[in-house]
Amino acid sequence: MRKVSIFGATGSIGQNTLDLIARTPEAYDVVALTGGRNVAQLAKDAQAVDADLAVTAFEDELQPLREALSGTGIEAAAGEAALIEAADRPADWVMSAIVGAAGLAPGFRALRRGLTLALANKESLVTAGPLLMAEAQAHDATILPVDSEHSAVFQALVGEDMDAVERIIITASGGALRDWPVERLAEATVEDAGAHPNWEMGQRITIDSASMFNKAMELIETKEFFGVRPDQIEAVIHPQSIIHALVGFADGALMAQLGPPDMRHAIGYALHYPDRRDLPVERLDLAELATLEFRAPCDTRYPALRIARGVMETGGHAGAVFTAAKEIALDGFLAGRIKFTQMAEVVEGTLDAISRDLRLHDAIETLETVLETDHLARVRAEEQVKDRQGHG
Ligand code: NAD
Ligand code: MG
């Protein structure tokens, strides 16, 4: 029986993970589930899989969680320290699917036990990639990527020699505004940007998809996880989202991974790795699909990709600044304070402004430094939003 824990169990990735586990419950011993404010869902899921422990990230939710679990024998806990403690519990497979910087510490902690970490939390790699990879290596732990593009690259690399890898190409749907004239992008509303053509996801990630800040994060994730140079990584627009990524080798061969746009594929691959098992995902009918299209993303339409290249070249603190600034810019757009096209200006402005506070290219040495940089970048990004509010 496999001992598993799911961090961020109540979110989209967490729920999909539970969906897969529920299909063969006898194969899993669920140790811990964690969530945020949705304690009713957390308690219900913890009971369904008979977890040992349920943790909410927020201390004021402890009482409601306790009540929801009373009489079940399932332990309840709350707060950041409890999340870390949950990561210490002996699971041999842990899903890291908390959103944002809050997902870093539990993932790092879990790695110390030399287990398998299924990594959905993008921020871990983008803000602290070198630290995370070093931590995994030091404890002989395995990290399996859960982002669909990186899972695809990982699958295309099975049995291959990294020295023979020439390039890695990740695909992008292009998002909700991909066919809008560039001159009109400044007028795009939250509703316009929030309608994803293929994937069903939350509002924030869907808007990050329209701006390609999501793809920008994924370029950085690719560099950190696979250890390739920035100039070896490309993004290509592929409106159908059927090919998730391709790896190009020294002999000119391209290995692609195809699948329906369903996160349960990447999650299931990580869950059963190194085996391949039956997954409840749609099987592709290529003749029915008939056409797969590709086009180069244009930097004018998607400045986030250009900014990501700079971040990859700089390294050090740049990923943490980029991530934090992107979140503040997105908050600003959602609140109607800045325009769609000003999100990129805010991120670029923050990277520029913060280089007066710290040396961006200096290596990040501890998790605390990542969190300090995140905090400072949020302050600077907020100033950038304020500067633009009501202008432009
Ligand atoms: P989500 O918002 O649906 O769920 C996030 C989870 O984190 C929830 O369980 C929530 O309760 C918990 N959480 C929120 N704030 C927290 C805090 N401060 N402390 C502790 N827990 C907290 O997010 P999601 O879509 O499931 O994505 C999770 C991660 O996976 C993100 O980093 C995202 O970028 C990445 N990802 C998601 C997808 C996708 O298709 N949804 C694809 C690839 C990668
Ligand atoms: Mg992705």
Side-chain angles (χ1 to χ4, degrees):
M1 244 203 305
R2 197 157 204 197
K3 281 177 173 288
V4 305
S5 286
I6 305 172
F7 285 77
T10 54
S12 160
I13 296 286
Q15 291 289 299
N16 277 310
T17 309
L18 283 166
D19 173 73
L20 293 179
I21 285 176
R23 288 163 197 265
T24 49
E26 65 285 356
Y28 304 99
D29 175 3
V30 179
V31 179
L33 296 186
T34 86
R37 300 222 172 264
N38 196 351
V39 292
Q41 181 73 45
L42 179 62
K44 184 169 153 262
D45 291 334
Q47 284 183 73
V49 296
D50 193 24
D52 301 337
L53 169 69
V55 185
T56 162
F58 306 102
E59 307 213 353
D60 54 338
E61 300 285 1
L62 180 58
Q63 201 45 39
L65 181 63
R66 273 206 180 118
E67 279 160 25
L69 288 172
S70 79
T72 62
I74 299 171
E75 211 180 315
E80 272 176 57
L83 282 175
I84 303 284
E85 200 268 327
D88 279 336
R89 300 267 175 128
D92 32 54
W93 188 91
V94 168
M95 168 55 80
S96 162
I98 288 176
V99 65
L104 265 70
F108 268 83
R109 187 66 170 225
L111 285 176
R112 288 196 191 170
R113 283 185 299 97
L115 43 51
T116 298
L117 187 73
L119 187 66
N121 176 273
K122 288 176 199 260
E123 293 79 5
S124 296
L125 274 174
V126 177
T127 66
L131 269 187
L132 189 81
M133 300 310 281
E135 191 78 358
Q137 200 170 16
H139 301 284
D140 209 14
T142 305
I143 302 180
L144 297 173
V146 171
D147 212 340
S148 56
E149 295 75 6
H150 308 82
S151 172
V153 173
F154 191 87
Q155 292 178 52
L157 282 170
V158 170
E160 302 288 354
D161 180 356
M162 273 313 286
D163 290 338
V165 172
E166 216 168 51
R167 57 188 177 141
I168 293 178
I169 306 168
I170 61 173
T171 63
S173 70
L177 309 176
R178 69 182 173 216
D179 297 321
W180 279 42
V182 175
E183 320 76 71
R184 278 195 54 214
L185 289 178
E187 301 158 28
T189 64
V190 168
E191 213 173 42
D192 294 330
H196 199 281
N198 307 328
W199 298 86
E200 247 182 71
M201 303 181 295
Q203 186 188 47
R204 297 181 74 89
I205 195 167
T206 303
I207 293 172
D208 278 352
S209 169
S211 62
M212 281 226 202
F213 269 111
N214 183 48
K215 209 50 54 182
M217 297 272 285
E218 292 178 356
L219 290 175
I220 305 167
E221 282 181 85
T222 304
K223 175 198 165 220
E224 300 299 349
F225 189 83
F226 297 102
V228 288
R229 296 186 315 270
D231 64 283
Q232 292 178 288
I233 312 169
E234 300 164 32
V236 68
I237 294 184
H238 167 41
Q240 292 84 10
S241 300
I242 295 296
I243 295 183
H244 304 304
L246 309 94
V247 178
F249 294 93
D251 59 357
L254 272 178
M255 297 294 284
Q257 192 267 354
L258 288 73
D262 183 334
M263 282 310 294
R264 289 177 306 176
H265 179 80
I267 296 168
Y269 183 79
L271 184 61
H272 301 307
Y273 179 83
D275 300 336
R276 283 195 186 268
R277 305 249 177 91
D278 182 29
L279 290 175
V281 299
E282 185 200 327
R283 271 41 175 179
L284 293 178
D285 181 335
L286 293 180
E288 192 184 316
L289 279 168
T291 314
L292 298 180
E293 299 162 283
F294 304 94
R295 56 182 190 247
C298 137
D299 270 1
T300 323
R301 181 182 292 277
Y302 300 113
L305 299 182
R306 175 177 47 76
I307 302 172
R309 297 224 166 262
V311 169
M312 288 193 286
E313 294 296 344
T314 307
H317 294 252
V321 174
F322 176 82
T323 307
K326 169 200 94 87
E327 291 302 320
I328 297 296
L330 180 55
D331 289 341
F333 174 60
L334 287 171
R337 297 172 65 201
I338 57 169
K339 294 177 189 295
F340 180 78
T341 44
Q342 288 178 316
M343 289 192 285
E345 292 175 25
V346 166
V347 174
E348 217 162 20
T350 305
L351 280 159
D352 193 37
I354 212 161
S355 55
R356 287 187 280 275
D357 301 308
L358 46 86
R359 291 201 311 209
L360 274 179
H361 57 268
D362 279 359
I364 284 201
E365 292 181 353
T366 65
L367 207 49
E368 288 69 44
T369 322
V370 181
L371 300 177
E372 280 164 23
T373 299
D374 175 90
H375 182 75
L376 180 61
R378 283 171 190 268
V379 174
R380 293 286 171 265
E382 182 53 40
E383 292 164 3
Q384 294 287 321
V385 171
K386 239 186 219 137
D387 283 351
R388 286 170 179 78
Q389 200 168 350
H391 305 286

